[in-house]
Amino acid sequence: MLNERTKAKLIEVVGSANFQDSSEARLVYSYDATPNFQSLPDAVIMPENKDQVKRILTICNEDHVPIVPRGSGTNLSAGTCPTQGGIVLTFNRMNKILEIDEENLTVTVQPGVITLDLINAVEAKGLFYPPDPSSMKISTIGGNINECSGGLRGLKYGVTKDYVLGLEVVLANGDCIKMGGKLAKDVAGYDLTNLFVGSEGTLGVVTEAILKLIPIPETKQTLLALFEDMDAAAKTVSAIIAHKIIPATLEFLDQPTCEVVEDFAQVGLPTDVNAVLLIEQDGPPEVVKRDIEMISRICTEGNAVSVKVAASQAEAEALSTARRSALSALARMKPTTILEDATVPRSKISEMVKAINEIAVTYNVKICTFGHAGDGNLHPTCLTDARDKEELHRVEQAFEAIFHKAIELGGTITGEHGVGEMKAPYLALKMGGEGVAAMKAIKYALDPQGIMNPGKIFAKDTRKRVVVRS
Amino acid sequence: MLNERTKAKLIEVVGSANFQDSSEARLVYSYDATPNFQSLPDAVIMPENKDQVKRILTICNEDHVPIVPRGSGTNLSAGTCPTQGGIVLTFNRMNKILEIDEENLTVTVQPGVITLDLINAVEAKGLFYPPDPSSMKISTIGGNINECSGGLRGLKYGVTKDYVLGLEVVLANGDCIKMGGKLAKDVAGYDLTNLFVGSEGTLGVVTEAILKLIPIPETKQTLLALFEDMDAAAKTVSAIIAHKIIPATLEFLDQPTCEVVEDFAQVGLPTDVNAVLLIEQDGPPEVVKRDIEMISRICTEGNAVSVKVAASQAEAEALSTARRSALSALARMKPTTILEDATVPRSKISEMVKAINEIAVTYNVKICTFGHAGDGNLHPTCLTDARDKEELHRVEQAFEAIFHKAIELGGTITGEHGVGEMKAPYLALKMGGEGVAAMKAIKYALDPQGIMNPGKIFAKDTRKRVVVRS
């Protein structure tokens, strides 16, 4: 618990209306979208500007109080669960789009802006902000930056880090640093901007960001290809890229996922084939037409049983929206949904999907798989029940086996969800002990007291993946 | 000087043929492309593989010997001058292209590969590695990674960091870390890859890199637009982008640069107008045609006195090559050439060019300006004589004024050349004292003894820009 002196100092900074430590408030901010890591913070604080953030961090650093910066809490790796108590810092009051600069193609935002609001605001000016995590209707840009969020358009357009040009960050000691700017090129010292993107709130608090925009693609078309077996679908993904076509979206859904999503969204997804590719291309009309024709041909040659181009923009949107709802749809099926994002080189997707299915059989657990096939970022999703300790143990073993397989294939334990607390025990699989040690050295160089989102990224001693708290 | 014991240990690692400490060898590696920072190393060492690099760094760390990793020494900020002695580490024996992976669109290389050799090797397979520093005929990929090199294609395609997917790095303590991979998405902990790109050899030694490739653009066209005044040219640059066209190349040359380059390269560059834009667009033929037509119209509307599309690929290549030769051409004019790369937001180019010209008059120095107008990365280049101390002092004052102006306009002190030792005194202008302190904390977290390229990026006490050594 916070001592009264610390509490009084924090209230002095933000006013009593913006400091909450009632049971209700603490409960609301005790979890994110990850099962089984719920934990009460000591308080929730809502700063209004950078200066308040500086003062809050200075107080917390002096008084050794953990700080957990939090967007909308859509995190899937327990990155925003206050598992060591302390203060949850929210950005509901720092949620403005400060400037859309049409000459330099940038947008300057506060961290609390909702991702989709930003996307809509820039699209109204004919500009494009590509990163589109499935949670974009509720996720914040600050959260996206902390996690380096990806999305469906990552294959062609990259992820959040590819669009962050500059950041204003408050460090644990209260120092405020501005890095980058409205600049296409900047090598003035280390690339701190990219270090902070994806640092999961463990190095400092982002208080403002300059994001890169690009001209909005003129047109887009969407295509659905159905396959009798997963292997044919995966090989088709590789074949499309090998033909030097980079689609805007190249998504994969297995049969169980299709069935659940169709039941939820009712958009006409097939439920009787083993694998579906949802492919979108955007750009100048001539190019889109040519690419979609070529992709259709490659799908057919790859033994697709059906290849269908969406007849209208409305139909295309419905398909994308349905794909984005996969997590919500799956979450209805069983009490506990654990969604992972092991990622492999694109050429290994077929092998990885096969391995996931074998692992599910070995450990007798139900895993649906969908994801961003084009960039090797799969989302094996386990439908389970956290109250069934015995099953949960098998789920944990299955995911451990999946992580090992991903690494064996040259992949990583997380493509876009972050390490958080959930995958911290597995970071060394990817980075080795020496890599983890280097990361820890950087962490403690910038946050010597360890107040910034403690317990995240770096594991203590546990090898347990799913920790059930009482 | 190295003591005999250290020398014996190093020779044991690489063999006596690959350890050189003759006066001649030391002289050859005593300078890079930056004037006035020449300084003799104690020895030069040529490792053959990662394990030798690990052993060399372990020895240097134990014996407190500075290590300066060096590509081809084309550095323009004294980043590879061994100004504190120690060992220059070269990669002539680690210069292989290890794999071109056409399925995952990656190339895996050793650091000593020449940039142009890499570009040619992947183009032979229909793939494209965009970063093209002007020095690409002799620069190495390892050097490009250490500096986060840019080039003429940066506007549309980004810079080196946008193409580094994975690195193998040896740290000062001999630890070897593999980061990233053949992965479009990877958020397993901090983004160390981007931290090392552009770290100027101050954090570790890159021993292998996985680079991203993209399909090669189908066609390209080149256009030359001439303007009576610089302001019209700069406004045209902004107008092109504001029309949502992102050309592959958008270069600017002022009249003095054109005159010197034409004298050197004889490609038909005009010498009687005040500003020239060299614009290239690439992509599918329909799009290139449409964009070039639109760009021509925008140039004409922007008061270009002449707009001419290159008649052939050969003519286009000659123009690009001439532009790339600007430094060599200018270097013939006076004994000392100091080329800078202050960078501003694109919308501020006109203001920046005007300021540079006024500063040149104020300090009575000769400055030619050319550069990557599309991304605000200008190269004001001073033709001077390092032996003339009084003039050199004015040159130094002029560049200091240019850096201040760039920062005032929201820019940076270096867009693509790095801080090195030359611009270290100005880093705080961009990053503030708190930003520099954060960078230093990271440096000493990974290199506690400070053996990695000491004296670079971080200034000691001097405010002097051009240090003339005896």
Side-chain angles (χ1 to χ4, degrees):
Chain A
M1 287 297 292
L2 284 187
N3 68 46
E4 287 302 317
R5 209 176 52 89
T6 304
K7 178 174 167 177
K9 286 192 285 184
L10 291 170
I11 289 175
E12 200 190 319
V13 175
V14 294
S16 55
N18 299 303
F19 174 95
Q20 298 179 2
D21 60 357
S22 67
S23 300
E24 297 75 11
R26 291 165 61 214
L27 191 65
V28 167
Y29 291 96
S30 64
Y31 57 89
D32 60 18
T34 324
N36 290 320
F37 285 86
Q38 188 169 12
S39 180
L40 289 175
D42 297 319
V44 182
I45 198 162
M46 286 150 262
E48 194 182 9
N49 53 46
K50 172 190 79 178
D51 288 326
Q52 290 188 356
V53 174
K54 278 171 67 82
R55 290 170 64 196
I56 293 165
L57 265 65
T58 304
I59 293 166
C60 288
N61 202 37
E62 281 167 7
D63 296 357
H64 301 87
V65 177
I67 282 277
V68 182
R70 185 185 193 275
S72 297
T74 56
N75 190 290
L76 289 163
S77 60
T80 47
C81 289
T83 50
Q84 300 191 12
I87 307 282
V88 168
L89 195 71
T90 74
F91 297 93
N92 337 24
R93 298 170 74 215
M94 293 175 68
N95 62 355
K96 287 171 205 64
I97 296 176
L98 300 173
E99 183 201 30
I100 298 176
D101 180 339
E102 295 183 73
E103 212 169 355
N104 291 303
L105 304 190
T106 59
V107 57
T108 304
V109 295
Q110 291 185 315
V113 174
I114 300 293
T115 313
L116 188 59
D117 291 349
L118 168 80
I119 289 175
N120 288 337
V122 303
E123 290 195 358
K125 293 187 182 286
L127 295 169
F128 191 41
Y129 178 73
D132 61 339
S134 290
S135 56
M136 67 185 185
K137 277 188 191 173
I138 43 169
S139 71
T140 66
I141 287 293
N144 294 172
I145 290 170
N146 275 346
E147 299 301 317
C148 188
S149 301
L152 274 65
R153 302 191 283 229
L155 169 61
K156 182 172 182 175
Y157 291 105
V159 296
T160 300
K161 72 175 174 182
D162 299 306
Y163 294 86
V164 182
L165 292 176
L167 290 177
E168 179 186 80
V169 169
V170 178
L171 299 182
N173 65 1
D175 280 1
C176 182
I177 303 179
K178 277 184 183 260
M179 46 195 85
K182 292 180 180 177
L183 298 165
K185 291 175 172 175
D186 178 19
V187 291
Y190 303 141
D191 183 354
L192 295 187
T193 308
N194 268 305
L195 179 65
F196 277 91
V197 176
S199 64
E200 307 192 20
T202 64
L203 298 178
V205 175
V206 173
T207 51
E208 200 175 298
I210 300 173
L211 307 174
K212 171 180 160 175
L213 303 173
I214 58 176
I216 198 164
E218 295 169 58
T219 54
K220 60 180 171 181
Q221 279 201 1
T222 302
L223 176 151
L224 210 59
L226 318 184
F227 295 84
E228 275 305 344
D229 69 289
M230 212 108 50
D231 197 49
K235 287 200 172 114
T236 299
V237 170
S238 291
I240 292 168
I241 310 287
H243 275 77
K244 303 196 169 61
I245 298 174
I246 312 286
T249 290
L250 183 33
E251 295 288 307
F252 163 89
L253 299 92
D254 69 0
Q255 191 276 336
T257 308
C258 280
E259 195 170 325
V260 171
V261 169
E262 178 57 19
D263 182 51
F264 178 81
Q266 315 237 330
V267 291
L269 269 183
T271 57
D272 55 350
V273 292
N274 284 313
V276 170
L277 293 182
L278 173 67
I279 305 171
E280 190 176 281
Q281 182 58 304
D282 61 12
E286 311 89 326
V287 178
V288 171
K289 184 168 177 289
R290 202 172 56 182
D291 282 357
I292 288 286
E293 282 168 9
M294 176 65 90
I295 291 168
S296 298
R297 196 178 325 150
I298 296 167
C299 288
T300 305
E301 286 168 10
N303 291 324
V305 293
S306 155
V307 179
K308 190 177 159 242
V309 178
S312 66
Q313 205 46 50
E315 190 187 333
E317 283 298 328
L319 288 168
S320 292
T321 304
R323 158 60 190 87
R324 284 202 174 86
S325 72
L327 171 58
S328 315
L330 289 163
R332 300 193 316 164
M333 305 307 288
K334 293 266 272 178
T336 306
T337 310
I338 301 177
L339 189 151
E340 268 307 339
D341 77 327
T343 300
V344 293
R346 186 186 299 130
S347 61
K348 304 292 185 187
I349 296 164
S350 169
E351 207 172 326
M352 188 67 205
V353 171
K354 219 169 126 203
I356 290 170
N357 291 337
E358 285 167 5
I359 288 166
V361 170
T362 302
Y363 293 99
N364 186 27
V365 293
K366 179 161 178 61
I367 297 182
C368 301
T369 297
F370 62 98
H372 317 298
D375 41 39
N377 181 203
L378 298 172
H379 292 312
T381 301
C382 192
L383 308 181
T384 181
D385 184 341
R387 294 163 300 188
D388 181 343
K389 298 282 158 64
E390 188 276 326
E391 178 169 303
L392 209 58
H393 180 63
R394 282 184 281 113
V395 169
E396 186 184 304
Q397 289 177 307
F399 275 114
E400 179 156 345
I402 288 172
F403 293 144
H404 278 279
K405 186 69 188 180
I407 297 293
E408 182 194 317
L409 295 176
T412 183
I413 58 167
T414 172
E416 58 182 7
H417 293 168
V419 177
E421 185 152 326
M422 191 164 86
K423 275 176 283 194
Y426 300 97
L427 180 61
L429 277 185
K430 171 68 172 72
M431 292 304 304
E434 297 179 346
V436 175
M439 288 183 182
K440 269 193 182 166
I442 291 167
K443 157 77 178 174
Y444 288 101
L446 296 183
D447 176 21
Q449 318 241 31
I451 64 161
M452 293 306 314
N453 208 5
K456 310 302 155 56
I457 298 184
F458 306 109
K460 277 179 276 188
D461 43 13
T462 174
R463 293 279 303 160
K464 291 289 178 200
R465 178 174 171 283
V466 182
V467 180
V468 182
R469 280 156 209 284
S470 55
Chain B
M1 287 298 293
L2 285 188
N3 69 46
E4 287 302 318
R5 208 175 53 90
T6 304
K7 178 173 166 176
K9 286 192 284 184
L10 291 170
I11 288 174
E12 199 189 320
V13 175
V14 294
S16 55
N18 299 302
F19 175 94
Q20 298 179 1
D21 61 356
S22 67
S23 302
E24 296 75 11
R26 292 165 62 215
L27 191 64
V28 167
Y29 292 97
S30 65
Y31 58 90
D32 60 19
T34 324
N36 289 320
F37 285 85
Q38 189 168 12
S39 180
L40 289 174
D42 297 320
V44 182
I45 199 163
M46 284 150 263
E48 195 183 6
N49 53 47
K50 173 190 79 178
D51 288 325
Q52 290 188 355
V53 173
K54 278 171 68 85
R55 291 169 64 195
I56 292 165
L57 264 66
T58 304
I59 293 166
C60 288
N61 202 37
E62 281 166 6
D63 296 358
H64 301 87
V65 177
I67 281 277
V68 182
R70 185 186 193 275
S72 297
T74 55
N75 191 289
L76 289 162
S77 60
T80 47
C81 288
T83 50
Q84 299 191 16
I87 307 281
V88 168
L89 196 71
T90 73
F91 296 93
N92 336 25
R93 298 170 72 214
M94 292 175 70
N95 62 355
K96 286 171 205 63
I97 297 177
L98 299 173
E99 182 201 31
I100 299 176
D101 179 339
E102 294 182 73
E103 212 170 352
N104 290 303
L105 304 189
T106 61
V107 57
T108 304
V109 295
Q110 292 185 315
V113 173
I114 300 295
T115 313
L116 189 59
D117 291 348
L118 168 78
I119 290 174
N120 289 336
V122 303
E123 290 195 357
K125 293 185 183 287
L127 295 168
F128 191 39
Y129 178 74
D132 62 339
S134 291
S135 55
M136 66 186 185
K137 277 188 192 172
I138 43 170
S139 71
T140 65
I141 287 294
N144 294 171
I145 290 170
N146 275 347
E147 300 300 317
C148 187
S149 301
L152 274 65
R153 303 190 282 229
L155 169 60
K156 182 171 183 177
Y157 291 105
V159 296
T160 300
K161 72 175 174 182
D162 299 306
Y163 294 88
V164 182
L165 292 177
L167 289 178
E168 179 186 79
V169 168
V170 178
L171 299 183
N173 64 1
D175 279 1
C176 183
I177 302 179
K178 276 183 184 260
M179 45 194 86
K182 291 181 180 177
L183 298 165
K185 291 174 170 174
D186 178 20
V187 292
Y190 302 142
D191 183 356
L192 295 186
T193 309
N194 268 304
L195 180 64
F196 277 91
V197 176
S199 65
E200 308 192 21
T202 64
L203 298 180
V205 175
V206 173
T207 51
E208 200 174 299
I210 300 173
L211 307 173
K212 172 181 160 174
L213 303 173
I214 58 176
I216 198 163
E218 294 169 58
T219 54
K220 61 181 169 179
Q221 277 200 3
T222 303
L223 174 152
L224 211 58
L226 318 184
F227 295 84
E228 275 306 343
D229 70 289
M230 212 109 49
D231 198 49
K235 287 199 172 113
T236 299
V237 169
S238 291
I240 292 168
I241 310 287
H243 274 77
K244 304 195 168 62
I245 299 174
I246 312 286
T249 291
L250 184 32
E251 296 288 308
F252 162 87
L253 298 91
D254 69 0
Q255 189 278 334
T257 308
C258 280
E259 194 170 325
V260 172
V261 170
E262 178 57 20
D263 183 51
F264 178 81
Q266 314 237 330
V267 290
L269 269 183
T271 57
D272 55 350
V273 291
N274 284 312
V276 170
L277 293 182
L278 173 67
I279 305 170
E280 191 176 281
Q281 183 57 306
D282 61 12
E286 311 90 327
V287 178
V288 171
K289 184 168 178 290
R290 202 172 56 181
D291 281 357
I292 288 286
E293 282 168 9
M294 176 65 90
I295 292 168
S296 298
R297 197 177 324 149
I298 296 167
C299 288
T300 304
E301 284 167 11
N303 291 323
V305 292
S306 154
V307 179
K308 190 177 160 241
V309 177
S312 66
Q313 206 45 50
E315 191 187 332
E317 282 298 329
L319 288 168
S320 292
T321 305
R323 159 60 190 88
R324 285 203 174 85
S325 72
L327 171 58
S328 314
L330 288 162
R332 300 193 317 165
M333 305 306 289
K334 292 267 273 178
T336 306
T337 310
I338 302 177
L339 189 152
E340 268 306 340
D341 77 326
T343 300
V344 293
R346 187 185 298 130
S347 62
K348 304 292 185 186
I349 297 164
S350 168
E351 208 172 325
M352 188 67 204
V353 170
K354 218 169 125 203
I356 290 170
N357 291 335
E358 286 166 7
I359 288 165
V361 171
T362 302
Y363 293 100
N364 186 27
V365 294
K366 181 161 177 61
I367 297 181
C368 301
T369 297
F370 62 99
H372 317 297
D375 39 41
N377 181 203
L378 298 172
H379 292 312
T381 301
C382 194
L383 308 181
T384 182
D385 183 341
R387 293 163 300 188
D388 180 343
K389 299 279 157 65
E390 187 278 325
E391 178 169 302
L392 209 58
H393 180 63
R394 282 183 282 113
V395 170
E396 185 185 303
Q397 289 176 306
F399 275 113
E400 179 155 346
I402 288 172
F403 293 144
H404 278 278
K405 187 69 189 179
I407 296 294
E408 182 195 318
L409 295 175
T412 184
I413 59 168
T414 173
E416 57 181 8
H417 294 168
V419 177
E421 186 152 327
M422 191 163 87
K423 277 177 283 193
Y426 300 97
L427 180 61
L429 277 185
K430 172 68 172 74
M431 291 305 304
E434 297 178 345
V436 175
M439 288 182 181
K440 269 192 183 166
I442 291 167
K443 156 77 179 174
Y444 288 100
L446 296 183
D447 176 22
Q449 317 242 31
I451 64 161
M452 292 307 314
N453 208 3
K456 311 302 156 55
I457 299 184
F458 306 111
K460 277 178 278 188
D461 44 13
T462 175
R463 292 282 301 162
K464 291 288 178 200
R465 178 173 172 285
V466 182
V467 180
V468 182
R469 280 158 207 283
S470 54

